[in-house]
Amino acid sequence: MSTQPDHSYDPVTPQPAATPEALRAAVAQVAPGSLAAFDAERAEAVQQARTEVSAAPLRSFTRQWSVNVAIARHPARANRLRELEALAAETDDLVQAREAIAEIGRILDAAFDEAGVKRGDA
């Protein structure tokens, strides 16, 4: 058994503040292919906030993207999450599906914790 720490999920960048600007900068670094989606969802949240005269859409947007960044800033963990999602969607083995879903839950729990978001709030 190894006494070395497991660095497979080490982040490439610190978790940013939950502000649109800080999150956008992090997305540009860890998931540049997601910038268009980030910008579109941000514009939609701003428009919805104006229409509703409420900050709730912007809070929801920042919570969601905080979790997305918390996942993406750990490339190995993000890859593992995608593998598990594909496995859970494709397998006919109930035990294998349950194990994959349980691991997905642990990954998401860690991301929500790092983002400072309660599950169900994003």
Side-chain angles (χ1 to χ4, degrees):
M1 183 160 117
S2 173
T3 58
Q4 296 294 320
D6 180 5
H7 294 289
S8 61
Y9 289 166
D10 282 353
V12 296
T13 186
Q15 180 68 23
T19 66
E21 296 77 18
L23 289 168
R24 190 177 195 288
V27 169
Q29 183 178 2
V30 299
S34 297
L35 278 174
F38 179 93
D39 290 338
E41 290 177 26
R42 181 180 184 180
E44 183 179 330
V46 168
Q47 182 58 42
Q48 188 177 1
R50 287 180 180 150
T51 299
E52 296 176 9
V53 189
S54 169
L58 292 170
R59 283 192 301 270
S60 180
F61 166 81
T62 57
R63 285 191 298 258
Q64 174 191 335
W65 278 94
S66 291
V67 173
N68 289 347
V69 167
I71 293 168
R73 69 193 195 93
H74 298 269
R77 184 168 71 183
N79 288 336
R80 180 65 179 153
L81 178 61
R82 285 190 293 275
E83 290 170 1
L84 291 165
E85 289 171 335
L87 175 64
E90 296 168 0
T91 188
D92 291 329
D93 182 330
L94 186 58
V95 172
Q96 191 176 40
R98 285 182 177 154
E99 289 171 356
I101 291 167
E103 189 174 346
I104 288 169
R106 289 188 295 274
I107 290 171
L108 292 176
D109 285 343
F112 274 78
D113 286 347
E114 290 172 20
V117 175
K118 292 181 187 176
R119 295 270 317 242
D121 284 350

